[in-house]
Amino acid sequence: METWVDQAARLTKPDKVVFCDGSEAENNVILHEMLKHADSFRLNEKTYPNCYLHRSSPSDVARTEHLTFICTPDKDDVGPTNNWMDPGAAKIKVGALLDGAMRGRTMYVVPYIMGPANSPISKVGLEVTDSPYVVANMRIMARIGKVATDRLGNSADFVPGLHSLGDLDPLRRYIVHFPEERLIWSVGSGYGGNALLGKKCFALRIASYMARQQGWMAEHMLILGLESPGGKVTYMAAAFPSACGKTNLAMMVSALESQGYKVWTVGDDIAWMRIASDGYLHAINPEAGFFGVAPGTGMNTNPNVMRALNRNTIFTNVGVTSEDEPWWEGIGGGPPEGLVTWRGEKWDLSKGPAAHPNARYTVPAQQSPCISPNWEAPEGVPISAIIFGGRRGRLAPLVYESFDWQHGVFVGATMASETTAATTGDVGIMRRDPMAMLPFCGYDMADYFRHWLEMGKRIPKPPKIFHVNWFRRGANGKFLWPGYGENVRVLKWILERVEGRGEARETEIGYVPKKSALTLDGLHIAREALNELFRVDADDWEIDLADSREFFAKFGPRLPAELREEHQKLARRLERSIPA
Ligand code: SAT
Ligand code: MN
C-alpha cells in the first residue's frame, strides 16, 4: 500500500500527505478543510446538526459518460457500449494531467472497505484524493480508515484509485479504468460517481470485471426486504437506471403496512451477489450510505429518507433558505422568501429550479428508520426476485414476470429507459440500458450477458426475474400509476409469484397479473387506467423488437445465441397474436 501511495505522490506532487484513520477527530479536521473553500458551508446547527452544503462547479454536476474510459490492451474487450483507450496511451495522456496536479494541496489517503467489515464478500479499496469533500463523502459511503487497513493487513489485494480535482475543466477531465490492473484514475471532476471512486468506478466497473472472472455478480441494484404478515422477510434486488427512483423504492413506506406488508432497506444502488451454500444467490450492499437525488424527495414521496436527512448529511447542489436550511423542488411547499440557488444566487422565477435536478444528499445508511436489521449481515441476504425497470412512457406494463432465467436475461438485456439528469447530456431520450449497467459494465456487455446466462445455470435456487414500469403514461400524458408507497402492491404480487401463488395470465411477453390478483383496496384508480397499465400492445412490441434487434446487432457475433433465440421466440409469439 505504501509503495502505491508513494508512486501516486511522486506523480501528483502534493505539499502534504495525510493517511486517514477514519476517526471522529480526523473527520472534524477534514470538514474544517472543506469549509475553507468558498464552495462549502455549514447548515443550520440547530435544525441540521453536522450538515453541510457543497456547491460544485456548474460544469461538474453529473457523471460524464463521454469522458469515462475502460482501458484494455484489446479494444474489442470493452465492447461497443464502452469508451476505450489503450492502457499505455491513457497512462501518458491522463498521467500528464495528474503530473503535479496536487501541488499546493494535501493528498488524503483513504483506505476503505466496500461491504460490511466482517463479510467475506467485501473488498478493500484505497483512494487518494486532493478533495476534502470527497473524503467527507467517502466516510459516509464506505467504511474508511483503520477498519480497512486492519482488514488488508500486509495483503496487496486492494483496488487503488487516484483522484485529483485537477482544474475542474471538462476539457481536462478523464475517468479511466484499468480492469486488468484493477486500477482507477480520475482527474478534473469533484462530483459523485466521477470522484467517489468506491462507488461506480470500483463497486461496478472494476467489480463487474472481477465478478465475471471469479463467478459472482456486481450489479446496479437496490436490495430490499419485503416483510409479510407473520413476519417473514423476502429479499429482492432491483435494477433501474440512475435517477429512476431506486432510493425511493428501497426506502418505501408501504401503503399496505396496516395489512402487514413492510419494506426494509438493505441497499439503494449496488448489490454484490454470490451463490451461497444454501443454494440461493446472496447479496450484500457494498456501500455504507445513500447518495440520493434530492429534488422530488419530500415527506409525501420518501418520508423515511427525509427523517434521516436532518443530521450528519452532506448536501450537494441544493438550494438554501435564509435559515440556512437545505431546500429543493419537491421538498414540500413553495420556494421560501430569501431562497438562494445551488449556484449561490438569490432565487427568482427567472433562475429556474433552485436545486440542480441532479442535486444529491449523502447520508449514513444506518440513519434510515427502515434500515434492515440484516443490512450488514456478513453472509448477505438471500435474493428471491430480481426486478428490472426503467422509465417507459409507453410499452411496458406495470409488471410482468419472465418465463424463466434465460428469458429474464433477455428482458434485462433489452431494458430501455428515458435518460435523466444523473448524467451530462439530453434528458428524456429513450436509450437501451441493459440491466441498468450500460454506463457501469467494465467489459464487453455481450460477455456480460453470457456471464448472466452462466450464473443462471449455476444457481441452485435462482431468483425469479420480473420487469416493472412505474412510468407508463395515459393518452393525456399523465402517469397512470401513483407510484411511491403504492408500489408495494406490485412487490406483494411478486412475492406471491415467488411463493407459487399470485394469479397471472400468460401473454406474449411474460406473465402479467390478473387484475384481480393485484391488491387494490384503498387505492383510487380508474378501471381504464388499470386496463392500460396491464395492456400488452403487440404492435408497439413489434416496433420495440426492431429497435432491440438493432441494439443487439452492435455486439456482433459475441452476443450469446440464447439472446437471439429469445428475440426470435418473442417475435414469433407476437406474430401469432396479431390477427392477419
Ligand atoms: O453520480 S453517481 O454515479 O454516484 C450517481 C448515479 O448516477 O447513480
Ligand atoms: Mn446508481
Side-chain angles (χ1 to χ4, degrees):
M1 192 174 102
E2 276 83 10
T3 329
W4 190 83
V5 173
D6 282 347
Q7 282 170 2
R10 234 173 294 132
L11 175 61
T12 56
K13 305 176 180 66
D15 280 10
K16 206 166 98 184
V17 179
V18 170
F19 279 80
C20 295
D21 60 15
S23 69
E24 201 56 55
E26 171 190 272
N27 188 39
N28 288 332
V29 174
I30 284 161
L31 290 169
H32 186 78
E33 282 304 312
M34 182 174 100
L35 290 171
K36 278 191 194 162
H37 297 264
D39 54 15
S40 298
F41 310 86
R42 196 182 265 278
L43 291 168
N44 189 313
E45 300 229 28
K46 279 213 188 73
T47 51
Y48 283 85
N50 196 30
C51 288
Y52 301 84
L53 164 63
H54 174 81
R55 291 186 187 132
S56 45
S57 156
S59 61
D60 187 29
V61 290
R63 275 182 298 103
T64 38
E65 291 176 8
H66 62 292
L67 304 174
T68 302
F69 292 82
I70 308 288
C71 308
T72 50
D74 186 349
K75 183 176 197 293
D76 287 344
D77 287 339
V78 309
T81 60
N82 278 311
N83 301 314
W84 175 82
M85 232 194 275
D86 171 76
K91 289 267 167 78
I92 292 171
K93 186 170 193 162
V94 184
L97 298 172
L98 285 166
D99 190 356
M102 296 192 189
R103 235 179 236 123
R105 302 179 188 170
T106 299
M107 178 167 109
Y108 299 94
V109 181
V110 187
Y112 62 93
I113 308 178
M114 295 311 284
N118 55 351
S119 167
I121 309 176
S122 301
K123 299 205 172 294
V124 176
L126 178 72
E127 174 162 357
V128 302
T129 176
D130 52 10
S131 161
Y133 163 81
V134 165
V135 181
N137 275 271
M138 284 297 286
R139 188 170 197 275
I140 298 174
M141 296 306 294
R143 285 102 176 151
I144 75 162
K146 192 172 175 309
V147 270
T149 25
D150 284 354
R151 180 170 168 126
L152 192 61
N154 296 324
S155 159
D157 189 12
F158 65 93
V159 171
L162 170 50
H163 170 254
S164 171
L165 294 170
D167 61 6
L168 292 178
D169 187 332
L171 294 174
R172 283 181 290 280
R173 178 178 302 160
Y174 287 97
I175 300 98
V176 292
H177 305 71
F178 305 89
E180 295 183 336
E181 284 178 73
R182 298 182 184 169
L183 169 69
I184 306 152
W185 277 7
S186 167
V187 64
S189 168
Y191 190 81
N194 292 337
L196 311 175
L197 302 186
K199 196 175 177 57
K200 309 295 185 176
C201 298
F202 176 6
L204 288 176
R205 296 195 192 96
I206 298 289
S208 63
Y209 182 92
M210 294 167 74
R212 175 177 170 237
Q213 284 181 330
Q214 300 168 352
W216 53 284
M217 305 171 90
E219 299 296 334
H220 191 203
M221 290 178 178
L222 67 89
I223 309 162
L224 63 79
L226 178 61
E227 181 177 328
S228 45
K232 183 170 169 236
V233 179
T234 304
Y235 294 93
M236 310 178 178
F240 299 83
S242 300
C244 286
K246 280 207 300 297
T247 309
N248 288 344
L249 182 64
M251 300 181 79
M252 160 197 350
V253 174
S254 156
L256 299 177
E257 198 143 334
S258 62
Q259 296 185 30
Y261 292 89
K262 183 179 160 51
V263 170
W264 297 98
T265 315
V266 177
D268 81 322
D269 195 39
I270 299 174
W272 282 0
M273 304 191 283
R274 261 176 208 277
I275 303 169
S277 50
D278 62 5
Y280 283 94
L281 193 59
H282 277 234
I284 63 159
N285 170 12
E287 302 189 282
F290 305 131
F291 185 65
V293 179
T297 306
M299 281 312 278
N300 52 348
T301 58
N302 191 339
N304 277 332
V305 87
M306 290 304 289
R307 288 189 190 105
L309 294 184
N310 60 2
R311 59 203 189 280
N312 314 318
T313 300
I314 300 172
F315 296 91
T316 304
N317 298 334
V318 300
V320 63
T321 71
S322 55
E323 302 285 304
D324 288 335
E325 294 184 345
W327 193 91
W328 52 80
E329 283 68 24
I331 196 171
E337 198 59 45
L339 179 63
V340 169
T341 71
W342 66 277
R343 290 166 178 266
E345 300 163 345
K346 195 173 174 324
W347 182 85
D348 62 52
L349 267 177
S350 74
K351 299 279 185 337
H356 186 276
N358 193 36
R360 300 268 172 166
Y361 50 75
T362 319
V363 62
Q366 79 235 2
Q367 284 185 198
S368 157
C370 53
I371 194 76
S372 160
N374 289 328
W375 85 281
E376 294 190 285
E379 68 286 4
V381 294
I383 299 297
S384 299
I386 284 176
I387 304 169
F388 294 123
R391 281 176 189 269
R392 301 216 72 171
R394 285 173 73 103
L395 195 77
L398 181 62
V399 56
Y400 63 100
E401 181 191 336
S402 66
F403 295 118
D404 53 33
W405 181 275
Q406 179 174 308
H407 177 233
V409 175
F410 171 80
V411 170
T414 50
M415 246 172 82
S417 191
E418 293 157 23
T419 50
T420 67
T423 174
T424 304
D426 292 330
V427 168
I429 307 216
M430 189 65 68
R431 75 167 182 181
R432 296 276 153 197
D433 188 352
M435 284 84 169
M437 282 289 277
L438 183 78
F440 307 121
C441 188
Y443 59 102
D444 189 336
M445 281 205 113
D447 297 342
Y448 168 79
F449 299 147
R450 183 170 309 285
H451 180 50
W452 265 82
L453 293 166
E454 295 301 323
M455 286 299 294
K457 290 180 203 146
R458 287 184 40 224
I459 309 168
K461 295 180 180 148
K464 289 191 164 209
I465 300 181
F466 299 81
H467 186 281
V468 300
N469 179 21
W470 318 131
F471 300 96
R472 194 156 176 175
R473 294 172 190 265
N476 59 4
K478 292 220 171 86
F479 290 120
L480 292 164
W481 180 248
Y484 300 109
E486 306 296 348
N487 290 340
V488 74
R489 299 172 191 275
V490 173
L491 299 185
K492 175 173 179 281
W493 181 78
I494 290 175
L495 166 71
E496 288 163 358
R497 293 296 291 173
V498 164
E499 292 184 339
R501 305 178 284 131
E503 286 198 277
R505 95 193 140 86
E506 188 175 333
T507 74
E508 299 85 342
I509 60 165
Y511 300 108
V512 174
K514 289 202 172 144
K515 258 165 269 161
S516 57
L518 210 67
T519 305
L520 291 174
D521 37 310
L523 181 67
H524 300 285
I525 184 160
R527 180 181 297 272
E528 304 81 70
L530 265 190
N531 288 342
E532 185 59 18
L533 277 166
F534 288 119
R535 195 166 62 88
V536 176
D537 185 310
D539 292 324
D540 273 358
W541 279 93
E542 293 259 7
I543 296 169
D544 195 67
L545 262 183
D547 187 75
S548 57
R549 183 181 302 115
E550 230 172 85
F551 180 67
F552 276 173
K554 280 199 204 176
F555 296 96
R558 251 161 123 145
L559 187 82
E562 291 91 329
L563 293 186
R564 284 188 218 286
E565 180 190 315
E566 287 298 330
H567 194 277
Q568 282 160 7
K569 285 200 321 207
L570 176 56
R572 251 179 275 130
R573 289 193 299 265
L574 289 167
E575 250 166 53
R576 259 185 269 129
S577 74
I578 297 178

